[in-house]
Amino acid sequence: MVHENARAGFGKLFTAQVLGIIAAFCSLLTLIPGIGPIIAGAAIAILGLIAYIMQLVGLNQAGKDEELIKSAFALAIFSLILGVVGGILGAIFPSATWIASIVNLLNAIISLVIMHHVLFGGANLNSALADKAASTWKTVLTVIILDIVVTIGLIICGILGGGTASAIVGIVVIVLTILDVVLDLISFFMYLSFLSRAKNEA
């Protein structure tokens, strides 16, 4: 059975991810002397806004065919509201920097849940996507675990201060950080590949 809404929705999600990549590369424009940073900031803001809107539209459209993705859309709306409320509270209480930290943490968790729902929602629509969804999610979880380990390693380095033990931990942290970045890129492109398949096979 072809799920037209889901395919169209996945198509928009794919485009949103591509726009995100383009926006990231636009940061290189800051290297242009003078007007470079202004152009980069404008390009990143515009592309980011378009990508965000496309993500919302894509989730809403695909959610018409799959309940998990419908839940992902609801979470995306909640994340938007959370960001607005966090911004207002941050403006009212500028010294309370912990507000932004909590909002960022919650939105990071929500983004992960949204990705999970998109992956396995797509798998629910077409079992042929199940293996791709599972492998992508396992890679994402590996990245999260590495993030935690690297953070713990940095804390240990801070506690140990100087010395041989701290140097060894520092080397391990550097190696894990490089591995983390590589796996993060791999997981991103795996997700992009999943969306590319889903927009044709859902």
Side-chain angles (χ1 to χ4, degrees):
M1 179 181 177
V2 176
H3 303 89
E4 294 295 342
N5 287 317
R7 289 192 175 189
F10 280 123
K12 290 180 177 64
L13 291 174
F14 176 81
T15 303
Q17 291 295 311
V18 172
L19 288 174
I21 295 174
I22 296 172
F25 277 107
C26 282
S27 62
L28 296 175
L29 294 173
T30 56
L31 299 175
I32 301 174
I35 200 171
I38 298 173
I39 297 174
I44 292 170
I46 292 170
L47 288 172
L49 178 61
I50 294 172
Y52 190 75
I53 292 172
M54 288 201 73
Q55 181 191 36
L56 287 177
V57 174
L59 289 172
N60 182 49
Q61 196 165 11
K64 294 176 182 177
D65 287 341
E66 221 297 312
E67 285 299 317
L68 265 182
I69 304 175
K70 185 176 182 180
S71 298
F73 173 70
L75 284 171
I77 294 298
F78 176 73
S79 177
L80 176 61
I81 295 171
L82 186 65
V84 172
V85 172
I88 293 172
L89 290 176
I92 296 174
F93 308 104
S95 61
T97 55
W98 55 270
I99 294 176
S101 298
I102 291 176
V103 170
N104 290 337
L105 175 61
L106 289 174
N107 278 336
I109 294 171
I110 290 171
S111 294
L112 284 172
V113 177
I114 288 173
M115 181 184 286
H116 172 276
H117 286 7
V118 169
L119 288 169
F120 291 97
N124 288 342
L125 291 169
N126 185 349
S127 59
L129 296 169
D131 288 342
K132 183 74 172 176
S135 60
T136 301
W137 184 243
K138 285 179 183 177
T139 306
V140 171
L141 289 180
T142 302
V143 170
I144 294 170
I145 292 170
L146 279 174
D147 284 339
I148 295 171
V149 172
V150 167
T151 301
I152 293 172
L154 291 172
I155 292 172
I156 293 173
C157 284
I159 293 173
L160 293 176
T164 304
S166 179
I168 293 172
V169 174
I171 292 171
V172 172
V173 168
I174 290 171
V175 172
L176 289 178
T177 300
I178 294 171
L179 180 60
D180 183 41
V181 171
V182 172
L183 285 176
D184 200 14
L185 286 172
I186 291 172
S187 66
F188 179 83
F189 283 104
M190 286 177 71
Y191 183 55
L192 194 65
S193 175
F194 174 86
L195 293 175
S196 180
R197 277 190 60 185
K199 67 188 178 72
N200 296 315
E201 300 178 19

